[in-house]
Amino acid sequence: MTKEITLRKLRGHKHAHLVVITFSLLFVAIIWTALSTQMQTAKAAVSTETSVQFGKSLFAEGCSSCHGLQGEGTTDGPSLIGVGAAAVDFQVSSGRMPMATQGIQAMRKDPVYSEEEIAALAAYVATFGPGPAIPTDEQIDYTGADIGLGGELFRVNCAQCHNFAGQGGALTEGKYAPNIDLATPRQIYEAMITGPQNMPVFSEESLTPDEKRAIIAYIMALREVPNAGGLDLGRYGPVTEGLFAWTFGLGILIALAIWIGIKAK
Amino acid sequence: MSKDVSPYRPQPAEIEHEYRRADIDARAAKKAERQVALMFASSALFTVLFVVAFATIDATTVIGLPVFGDVYAFNVAIGVTMGLAIFFIGAGAIHWAKKLMPDVEVEEERHDFGSSAEEKAEIVETFKAGSADSGVMQRPLIRRTLLAALALFPVPLVVLLRDLGPGPGDERFRTMWSQGRRLLTDVSYQPIRPEDVPIGNLINAVPEGLHELEEEVKNLNERAKSVIIVVRIDPDEIVSQQGGTSEEPWDYNGILAYSKVCTHVGCPISLYEQRTHHLLCPCHQSTYDLADSGKVIFGPAARRMPQLGITIDQEGYLVARGDFAEPIGPSFWELS
């Protein structure tokens, strides 16, 4: 009687589960290799027209769950039609998007995507509808800009929310204007032309490119000015300074008064 | 001294005197003496160091200190040396008093504050005698002229109050805005075209002619009243406005102009949130909804933010339809 090998018999073999697991793992490994090779190829091809395609795949993977497959927006995220490449570059390069959790406001963190991926995402989102483009290096070149004018413009247009030294401040219902110490010149320019989250837009006509560069020059100068004043207490002004004086200054005086008052042994 | 002042607090005489170590041990006293002397000597040393620091340290040298960060070495050196020089004089004096000067408890009697009955009677007598000697009751002419002089004396003080005026008149009810006056961007003073104001945009604006006026009068009074913010809101999201008709709306295709002066105590505010259309005052958190007639939705402000009706002129620039319909800024008594 010949030994008939049937599936039924093999399935009953004592090593059958090992074989099945090995084959499954192999299958996953092959698919994964194929996919990641494909992704690497795609990365290499960025900066050509395929970047839009690459951006589309990145978008479908990382953004569409909130912003919709066509960027039309869902209940979890706003529509991206017409926001332009500049908005994408600002949000993603500053780490605000993708959001870590749904919340009242996206906060700055380390960016999740690489520069190439951000460029691809921006290129793809720009196809949804016309919007501000990412400012070029020339547009944000603030060398020679009028820092004095920038300071005046900053105090009139920006300081009400971002504080006179760019330290940020509270808005309504838990929202806040962020500290802008880490914002790059490009991000500052993009923020002004796109109005991220609740920040208003400052259009290129109402605040000209030259004026925007002056504001950037002022912000950069603020960071470079040596601050040899010791503890700046966050440059928040009289509130923190008062708190410091009341706790530490009065605390020391009270301690001395107690020392004077206690009886010597 | 009565014993029942406070039944719970032992009176000084009842407390057994506790001797300090320096009172009973000559070596401890000597040690305390050396400590005090050391403090005074330290003060002298820091005074000398202050002079040395002042003379030798370069005023522009910056050093890094832990916790404090970058500081000017000169400022730190003279501040610390002078502070410690003063501190050690005081600390030495207190240490001296606490350790070595007598600390025996003493009792002092408390006296009535008022003068004695005899002294009071004597003063009354003296006054009556003086009054009789002056003859003021016998000479009514002198008495009356003196009273008249005293009665008139406060008049100059009252008249001087006039210098607090003149009253502001209708200044609080009007601003520089008038029909056809252009809106200019603040700082750069450029007229504004509606097509340059996208939805979500914010412009801090002032009336045309303000800059020239300020150059002339050298004060900011008109600016304080006429500053506005210009925002553009999707017309579908505008719930209501303070005025205008469907033919002559106060907005221009969703571009709205509101006063920038909080109606609570007058802080200039432009903390505008473009998505919620909230305008927040950083001073006391009054919040206005610019999409709904600038009504107060939070905080201590009692009046809505006044809206400025706008339109465009023949050259297509944004202009005011007239002055504000209601006074801007904080409320005042005459405002009913």
Side-chain angles (χ1 to χ4, degrees), chain B residues 21-33 35 99-100:
Chain B
R21 276 208 302 279
D23 292 331
I24 48 180
D25 182 354
R27 276 189 309 177
K30 200 73 194 165
K31 188 183 166 197
E33 187 182 342
Q35 286 169 342
K99 289 278 187 184
L100 296 170

Side-chain angles (χ1 to χ4, degrees), chain A residues 30-48 50-51 53-62 112-114 116-117 120-121:
Chain A
I30 289 165
I31 296 287
W32 173 253
T33 316
L35 272 177
S36 61
T37 323
Q38 213 174 3
M39 277 166 76
Q40 274 161 14
T41 324
K43 271 183 195 171
V46 167
S47 82
T48 66
T50 54
S51 71
Q53 278 307 311
F54 178 45
K56 185 175 183 178
S57 63
L58 287 171
F59 188 88
E61 195 182 298
V112 173
Y113 291 99
S114 70
E116 287 159 1
E117 289 168 331
L121 273 173

Side-chain angles (χ1 to χ4, degrees), chain B residues 257-328:
Chain B
Y258 277 95
S259 166
K260 192 178 168 179
V261 189
C262 185
T263 62
H264 175 223
V265 286
C267 292
I269 53 174
S270 52
L271 286 81
Y272 173 64
E273 299 177 1
Q274 59 127 329
R275 289 227 203 117
T276 59
H277 317 125
H278 291 173
L279 182 68
L280 168 71
C281 179
C283 298
H284 306 97
Q285 284 67 55
S286 291
T287 309
Y288 306 85
D289 187 352
L290 298 194
D292 192 4
S293 294
K295 73 172 181 189
V296 182
I297 54 172
F298 183 79
R303 286 194 302 134
R304 62 186 185 178
M305 185 58 83
Q307 185 183 355
L308 184 74
I310 55 169
T311 181
I312 54 166
D313 62 12
Q314 288 181 337
E315 289 172 65
Y317 292 109
L318 290 176
V319 295
R321 284 190 177 276
D323 200 355
F324 288 102
E326 48 200 80
I328 60 95

Side-chain angles (χ1 to χ4, degrees), chain A residues 2 30 34 73 83 85 87 103 106 160 180 183 191 211 241 258 260:
Chain A
T2 52
I30 289 165
V83 298
Q160 70 266 31
I180 55 172
E211 291 172 338
E241 284 159 24
I258 290 172
I260 292 171

Side-chain angles (χ1 to χ4, degrees), chain A:
Chain A
M1 196 175 126
T2 52
K3 262 193 171 179
E4 217 177 336
I5 300 172
T6 62
L7 195 62
R8 185 186 292 263
K9 275 184 182 168
L10 278 176
R11 206 185 278 165
H13 195 273
K14 61 178 177 179
H15 293 311
H17 60 290
L18 281 179
V19 175
V20 170
I21 289 172
T22 311
F23 271 96
S24 309
L25 284 174
L26 265 175
F27 179 74
V28 170
I30 289 165
I31 296 287
W32 173 253
T33 316
L35 272 177
S36 61
T37 323
Q38 213 174 3
M39 277 166 76
Q40 274 161 14
T41 324
K43 271 183 195 171
V46 167
S47 82
T48 66
E49 300 83 51
T50 54
S51 71
V52 171
Q53 278 307 311
F54 178 45
K56 185 175 183 178
S57 63
L58 287 171
F59 188 88
E61 195 182 298
C63 317
S64 61
S65 58
C66 295
H67 292 294
L69 274 168
Q70 308 300 320
E72 73 277 13
T74 69
T75 49
D76 289 332
S79 160
L80 299 183
I81 295 166
V83 298
V88 179
D89 189 60
F90 174 84
Q91 297 285 356
V92 184
S93 74
S94 68
R96 288 181 168 83
M97 289 291 146
M99 284 174 95
T101 50
Q102 282 287 342
I104 202 142
Q105 187 164 341
M107 52 203 255
R108 190 184 185 94
K109 56 184 186 293
D110 288 337
V112 173
Y113 291 99
S114 70
E115 275 182 38
E116 287 159 1
E117 289 168 331
I118 295 168
L121 273 173
Y124 175 60
V125 172
T127 64
F128 293 166
I134 299 173
T136 62
D137 288 342
E138 293 76 54
Q139 274 178 288
I140 58 168
D141 180 15
Y142 58 92
T143 42
D146 186 343
I147 295 175
L149 174 71
E152 205 174 339
L153 290 164
F154 186 86
R155 285 186 291 277
V156 166
N157 293 294
C158 320
Q160 70 266 31
C161 299
H162 289 288
N163 162 294
F164 55 88
Q167 302 301 297
L171 295 174
T172 67
E173 292 162 5
K175 299 184 286 292
Y176 61 92
N179 180 316
I180 55 172
D181 276 349
L182 294 175
T184 63
R186 174 165 281 121
Q187 287 166 350
I188 297 170
Y189 203 103
E190 288 166 346
M192 287 190 278
I193 55 176
T194 63
Q197 305 193 50
N198 261 301
M199 175 169 162
V201 179
F202 295 89
S203 72
E204 293 286 62
E205 292 80 18
S206 62
L207 202 60
T208 64
D210 275 340
E211 291 172 338
K212 287 193 171 75
R213 282 187 283 272
I215 289 176
I216 292 171
Y218 172 72
I219 295 170
M220 294 299 146
L222 266 187
R223 295 179 194 169
E224 282 162 22
V225 169
N227 175 26
L231 270 179
D232 61 17
L233 301 174
R235 291 189 182 180
Y236 276 117
V239 174
T240 36
E241 284 159 24
L243 184 70
F244 185 83
W246 280 90
T247 43
F248 289 88
L250 276 185
I252 289 169
L253 289 182
I254 290 170
L256 284 173
I258 290 172
W259 173 63
I260 292 171
I262 51 172
K263 212 167 150 52
K265 288 270 189 287

